[in-house]
Amino acid sequence: MHAAATHYNTLIMLDRTNTGPSQIRLAGGKCRNQPLERILKNDCWAHSVMMNPVSGAVRPLTVQTDTWCSSGQFFDNGMMVQTGGDFEGLRKIRTLKPCPPEGNCDWMELAEPLAKGRWYASNQLLQTGTRQIIVGGRNEPTYEFYPKRRAGEGAYYLSVLDGCCDNLYPFVFLLPNKLLFIFANKDSVSLNWETGKVVRKFPTIPGNPRNYPSAGSAVMLPVSYTTGFTRGEIMVCGGAANGASRTNNVGAACSNNCGRIVATAAAGGWAMENMPIRRCMGDMINMPNGEVLIINGAMNGFQGWGKASNAVLNPVNYNPNAAAGRRFAMWAKTGIPRVYHSTASLLADGRVIVAGSNTHQFYTYTGAFPTELRVEAFSPPYLGANYNAYRPAITGAPIALKYNQVFTMAFTVGVRRGAVTVYQNSAPFTTHSFSQGQRSLHLKTSVPVRAGAGWSMQVTAAPNNSLAPPAWYIFFCVQNGIPSKGKWIKQNN
């Protein structure tokens, strides 16, 4: 249901606690005693794990309160801050400081509560790297901060989050101009989070609603040095048909369209285009080479228990820099449906870990769309053996960076061909078809020169913390569209 890749190349996975026994026991005979729990008040089963995506090993983690449909984000030191959930978890704040695969790190639950209950909210790391904004939630058209900016600070009303339906898990992005882009249902605004002022109301996106339970998805396209890092363009795709969730029209066809809008421009609207296949409950991932992967989902229905059909098995690739009409490409299909409660997480090795799918209230292992316990690794075509000679391998780069720092990246490659560039990708928290905190930067590089048996180039780090809030990022060296394995580098203030 929830997943995030750590800078130790592990995966945090979280389910909800009130589904009954999982198939993984807590370690050492440990049990969770929670008198407010609705299913197992003495619960000896794991509802969160740390996974090693190389070996496939999982280590049970312990959560104390219900994390159902919660939200999260990594802080600058790599600590996951995880907020909200359902029932006894509604106002909870949890932290997990990741550790190497052989470590024993685990969840901690803080005594401090959220100002409001946050169920189906979205989080975004802010410029300091030590504070995040928590936006929306069921019956909660407000936002708040953690940590609070001052003692006793509460929540703030935001009208775009209000009103009926299809506005949960809002799409939230920190823009290059320091503002927040916040999208709910069909409408969006830019918000000055420091003053609380709505700076701009954007045109309504054509077509259907896009947020939970209509289950579209969104990314901010890579922000590039070629435009001075000033252009912040949002892409929103798919979602359920108008009125499908309100009328329980489980057979309604999902949308096949996407909209792009330059959220940093003073004016302008949505530019629409069509995907090769209709999709709701998909996940959109910023890939190592500046392109976007759209994976998981269904062709009919909406998010909810038993509300989806016709799983979309083929991932689709989107190249934002290609000519209109040539941007989408269909890729090889899976044999495992991934519909409601699926996730997709980019790894440093360039694969995408796909997990989950549970359209049932409780664990259900028979019938249509059973609870899915298998985890897959999707290998995009750029990982094919036919590209091995052209794939760079990073051999030298710093462990940490400051803004505007010019640093040397060394790499080897069998055959030099075409342009070489660098992308910097964040580590988002993924749930319900949206990767919270996801961003990708296209960095300025010099022309590579020979350096011994390999190559060397100068790379200029991002200029400020609105582009790359302090955190751990994966840096990829990309030759002619073929990425290296990524290197985790800490972006400092």
Side-chain angles (χ1 to χ4, degrees):
M1 179 188 290
H2 318 80
T6 80
H7 66 280
Y8 289 106
N9 291 314
T10 57
L11 274 169
I12 302 169
M13 293 181 172
L14 268 168
D15 200 357
R16 44 188 273 232
T17 62
N18 59 12
T19 50
S22 68
Q23 293 197 356
I24 300 175
R25 287 188 176 273
L26 293 171
K30 184 166 58 174
C31 295
R32 177 180 69 105
N33 293 299
Q34 175 52 266
L36 297 176
E37 178 57 63
R38 289 176 287 180
I39 304 298
L40 294 175
K41 298 184 186 302
N42 182 260
D43 187 0
C44 306
W45 302 90
H47 304 288
S48 178
V49 298
M50 189 76 76
M51 178 184 176
N52 182 333
V54 176
S55 69
V58 295
R59 180 171 62 83
L61 303 175
T62 304
V63 287
Q64 295 298 327
T65 53
D66 192 13
T67 53
W68 185 18
C69 304
S70 51
S71 53
Q73 196 89 144
F74 286 112
F75 268 175
D76 66 334
N77 61 358
M79 181 173 70
M80 170 59 68
V81 176
Q82 212 273 329
T83 52
D86 188 24
F87 202 55
E88 81 277 6
L90 190 61
R91 294 179 62 192
K92 294 295 183 180
I93 304 170
R94 311 165 193 88
T95 63
L96 193 158
K97 184 68 182 294
C99 55
E102 65 275 11
N104 61 359
C105 50
D106 209 339
W107 290 104
M108 295 182 61
E109 195 160 285
L110 308 186
E112 177 187 358
L114 295 166
K116 299 289 185 179
R118 299 292 171 185
W119 192 23
Y120 301 95
S122 296
N123 296 17
Q124 171 63 58
L125 184 67
L126 297 175
Q127 284 93 330
T128 62
T130 57
R131 175 170 287 117
Q132 56 189 261
I133 189 170
I134 307 162
V135 181
R138 178 159 286 186
N139 300 318
E140 198 51 68
T142 66
Y143 61 92
E144 63 179 281
F145 299 92
Y146 176 77
K148 294 177 174 59
R149 296 176 293 179
R150 56 186 177 274
E153 184 179 33
Y156 302 88
Y157 175 76
L158 186 62
S159 61
V160 75
L161 303 172
D162 211 346
C164 172
C165 315
D166 300 300
N167 56 9
L168 302 179
Y169 277 126
F171 304 144
V172 182
F173 296 96
L174 178 63
L175 296 171
N177 60 7
K178 302 182 181 182
L179 304 177
L180 288 172
F181 177 89
I182 301 176
F183 180 107
N185 194 311
K186 300 181 186 181
D187 294 309
S188 49
V189 299
S190 58
L191 173 73
N192 183 327
W193 63 266
E194 295 178 292
T195 66
K197 179 182 177 181
V198 171
V199 177
R200 181 184 173 194
K201 294 183 178 180
F202 297 96
T204 298
I205 193 171
N208 55 293
R210 310 288 175 161
N211 296 87
Y212 182 93
S214 282
S217 190
V219 293
M220 181 162 64
L221 297 176
V223 184
S224 177
Y225 79 93
T226 60
T227 58
F229 290 113
T230 60
R231 182 185 177 94
E233 186 172 8
I234 309 300
M235 182 176 182
V236 178
C237 291
N242 278 306
S245 63
R246 295 196 306 274
T247 61
N248 197 35
N249 187 356
V250 297
C254 297
S255 170
N256 71 339
N257 66 41
C258 298
R260 289 171 57 165
I261 192 166
V262 181
T264 48
W270 294 91
M272 306 302 293
E273 55 191 318
N274 289 334
M275 298 183 286
I277 190 168
R278 64 182 193 269
R279 190 185 307 251
C280 51
M281 289 168 270
D283 287 277
M284 297 178 70
I285 306 296
N286 287 122
M287 297 300 279
N289 57 3
E291 298 178 0
V292 175
L293 177 71
I294 309 173
I295 195 169
N296 300 334
M299 294 178 66
N300 296 78
F302 54 93
Q303 286 177 317
W305 293 322
K307 306 300 184 184
S309 60
N310 292 329
V312 183
L313 301 178
N314 289 86
V316 166
N317 188 65
Y318 181 81
N319 182 347
N321 298 316
R326 304 188 59 162
R327 294 172 180 157
F328 289 100
M330 191 93 76
W331 281 351
K333 69 179 181 181
T334 179
I336 302 176
R338 304 282 181 181
V339 287
Y340 189 36
H341 291 148
S342 298
T343 61
S345 303
L346 176 67
L347 301 179
D349 63 15
R351 296 178 299 160
V352 175
I353 289 289
V354 181
S357 189
N358 187 17
T359 68
H360 309 280
Q361 184 174 4
F362 303 106
Y363 296 126
T364 303
Y365 303 111
T366 59
F369 301 119
T371 302
E372 184 54 67
L373 303 182
R374 292 170 291 179
V375 176
E376 292 176 286
F378 173 68
S379 295
Y382 58 61
L383 290 176
N386 53 315
Y387 292 117
N388 284 351
Y390 308 101
R391 192 183 330 282
I394 298 173
T395 57
I399 189 66
L401 293 173
K402 293 185 176 181
Y403 296 111
N404 274 320
Q405 179 179 336
V406 178
F407 63 95
T408 300
M409 179 175 283
F411 65 94
T412 59
V413 66
V415 178
R416 269 287 291 119
R417 184 179 70 179
V420 179
T421 191
V422 171
Y423 281 89
Q424 173 182 351
N425 285 25
S426 67
F429 178 89
T430 300
T431 186
H432 289 76
S433 302
F434 181 54
S435 291
Q436 301 175 19
Q438 183 173 218
R439 60 204 306 109
S440 178
L441 302 178
H442 180 205
L443 301 182
K444 183 180 180 181
T445 56
S446 67
V447 175
V449 296
R450 269 291 185 185
W455 299 83
S456 176
M457 62 183 174
Q458 300 300 296
V459 185
T460 305
N464 61 62
N465 58 12
S466 292
L467 291 165
W472 286 92
Y473 292 83
I474 315 174
F475 284 67
F476 296 95
C477 177
V478 183
Q479 176 178 255
N480 218 28
I482 307 302
S484 67
K485 289 185 177 181
K487 177 177 174 59
W488 287 96
I489 299 178
K490 175 73 160 53
Q491 176 71 68
N492 290 320
N493 250 329

